[in-house]
Amino acid sequence: MNLLESLQVAVDSLIANKMRSFLTMLGIIIGVTAVLVVVAIGQGLKTEVISRIERLGTNLLVIIPGYGRGRGPTTRPGRLTDDDFTALRGKVPYVKAMAPTLRSSAQVKYHNLKHSTQVIGTTTDWVITDNATLTHGRFFTKSEERARANVVVLGAAVVEELFYGRPLVGEQIRINNIPFRVIGLLKEKGGGFGNPDDQVVIPLSTARYRLFGSRYLTTINVSTISPDKAEVVTESIKRVLRRQHRLGSGEDDFRIMSQTELLSTIGEQTAIITLFLGAIAAVSLLVGGVGIMNIMLVSVAERTREIGIRKAVGAKRRDILAQFLIESAVLSAVGGIIGIFLGVAIAAIGPRLGYQTSVPLQTIIIAFVFAAAVGIFFGYYPARRAALLDPIECLRYE
Amino acid sequence: MASLSVEETAVQSDALIVTRELTKVYAMGDVQVHALRSVSLTIRSGEYVAIMGPSGSGKSTLMNLLGCLDTPTSGAYYLLGEDVSTLNDNQLSEVRNRRIGFVFQTYNLLPRATALHNVQLPLLYAHRVSRAEARRRALDALQQVGLSDRAEHRPRELSGGQQQRVAIARALINNPDIILADEPTGNLDTQSGAEILALFDRLNELGHTVILVTHDHSVAARCKRVVQLLDGRVVSDELNNASDDRR
């Protein structure tokens, strides 16, 4: 008995019981659809987070002070200084730009509106390291930096809070009660470390001498000339800072965070979550498989006489096995295909509901193969039972 | 009226079926049921044999064994010189497919398939038969039983007699060595029954070996040889003069 004929026999019998075949397939359809939708949302989420981070610049390294073991028995907090910055600037290769920052939270005020935000004191290179763009006005200049000018560039969230989104360049606001003139507005970034839109940027000298009075730095931001140089640059930074701080290896009192590291961490995490949710969805596929097994057992019992007839006229065990196995495989494969169409269709409406979705081709293939495998796995037991039936018993069966 | 000894006929070259001491024992719980006790029988090619006996005499068991649907507990069964009592399930399927055509009391057609497809069924499990060839042979077989015009009908659209004729066409399609019929007229009215029996007569005249299992004397009377079973034993095995007279 060839495959084409077996297929014909299987399809005929499925068509003869349309409603039952459909209900049996429903389990597989729902399972495959669920898997695809979950994976689509998971992948979409990942793509979105990654693209947000990429907008911040993947070649950004941020050096922050850490707690290192010093020369005594106690640990002491590390410090980053202007000297560190100067040393790094001269010695680290593959650097596009480097900007020191001094950060602190402060209250900004415009007329009666108050808002707590992050103040970043930095240099003009920050625009390059942090990949910032302005929608209105301009960034401060080197001469303003030298002059410790009271000028400020506002992040998008702050503009929303103080100006209700209006681009009021030239207005005066107060930071910790000291008046500043708004000279520029930053473009919205969305996502990343903390909220990069809820911040205001002022010259480092102004922050240091007029606002916070600290001689240390909160971070040193380094942007490399390309993302693949991040590792070399990181190693180089470590060498320079260890020498600066007179540390042995393993005594580092600083940490270097890279966006690529963050990217891969986020990638891994969303992959785990997607896998987990996908596994839950796959359980429903398994339940669908049990449905197939159930209905195939009923079908075998119902067609006992047919099996007897086929055996009497010369069907071998493997012919009967193939017939029922193909039937369950066709059920699950057709269910799988319908599920794929449904899943892709639902994923396609996702963006309209505000969810970024994407269905990778390999997920579609895996879902289909898995569905077909479920059909064959759960169809095997009933098919084998049919194959082993005694033809005499079958022919006597009413 | 001559009684044939097994030994005499076993050596004849045209012996189609030779059984020796064929025994079948079923275990029903703790009780052993001897359905067939040492049946030795020889049937030559072209014979027209009725196997008779009351219910429980072992007719069905003998037919299942002769039809290779079952294997004996002990004894040997030679079909065309080949010992089929030791074959495995797959080999038995092949023997059934090639050598035996079954006709059942309840017709046993596939209810959803057309007459044509029902007749083709054995070819589905035969080697190397193309679809066109299968169709041609099925139409041929349907013509032999006079049902050419019913090829596309389903069993429930046919009368009992017509269904049985479809079943006979199915039995014929692989040109089997033996046609085994189990109470073929049991479910039919007298008129259709007579037609079916006439069909068997004609098939036998064309050279087919026909074995009918029946408890109906009027059916057995048409056959050339009658084997009587009782309690699993052959109690008489006679040539039928009446049938010779009829011809």
Side-chain angles (χ1 to χ4, degrees), chain B residues 141-207:
Chain B
L142 278 173
Q143 197 186 355
Q144 275 194 64
V145 299
L147 276 183
S148 301
D149 54 336
R150 295 283 188 274
E152 295 304 326
H153 288 58
R154 280 164 218 283
R156 66 160 183 276
E157 297 158 352
L158 299 170
S159 72
Q162 288 172 328
Q163 288 187 53
Q164 193 61 300
R165 281 193 274 164
V166 172
I168 294 170
R170 180 179 67 191
L172 288 172
I173 192 158
N174 238 351
N175 199 21
D177 296 296
I178 313 161
I179 293 169
L180 266 180
D182 186 5
E183 302 279 8
T185 58
N187 278 16
L188 297 175
D189 59 81
T190 329
Q191 168 75 36
S192 326
E195 283 169 23
I196 294 298
L197 290 172
L199 190 54
F200 280 121
D201 292 348
R202 212 184 73 227
L203 289 174
N204 178 243
E205 276 164 30
L206 290 170

Side-chain angles (χ1 to χ4, degrees), chain A residues 285-321:
Chain A
L285 203 53
L286 230 55
V287 173
V290 174
I292 288 190
M293 174 137 86
N294 187 17
I295 222 65
M296 289 311 291
L297 282 173
V298 171
S299 175
V300 167
E302 244 178 21
R303 283 148 72 192
T304 302
R305 219 181 163 80
E306 176 188 328
I307 294 165
I309 297 167
R310 288 181 185 274
K311 283 198 156 186
V313 301
K316 297 187 174 76
R317 281 180 183 167
R318 63 163 181 267
D319 295 322
I320 303 294
L321 185 83

Side-chain angles (χ1 to χ4, degrees), chain B residues 10 13-18 77-84 99:
Chain B
S13 58
D14 58 349
L16 180 66
I17 289 173
V18 178
Y77 171 20
Y78 297 93
L79 182 61
L80 283 160
E82 182 186 15
D83 186 1
V84 292
R99 306 213 177 283

Side-chain angles (χ1 to χ4, degrees), chain A residues 1 5 8 13 16 305-306 309-319 323 391-392 395, chain B residues 64 69-70 89-90 93-94 96-97 102 104 106 108-110 112 121-122 124-125 131 170:
Chain A
M1 188 157 166
E5 281 165 341
Q8 177 86 54
S13 123
R305 219 181 163 80
E306 176 188 328
I309 297 167
R310 288 181 185 274
K311 283 198 156 186
V313 301
K316 297 187 174 76
R317 281 180 183 167
R318 63 163 181 267
D319 295 322
Q323 181 188 334
I392 300 169
L395 288 170
Chain B
N64 289 340
L69 284 167
D70 207 351
D89 198 83
N90 269 350
S93 291
E94 229 163 273
R96 287 198 295 272
N97 186 249
F102 287 98
F104 301 95
T106 51
N108 278 338
L109 300 174
L110 298 182
R112 285 195 303 264
L121 194 62
L124 202 59
Y125 303 107
R131 289 192 148 198
R170 180 179 67 191

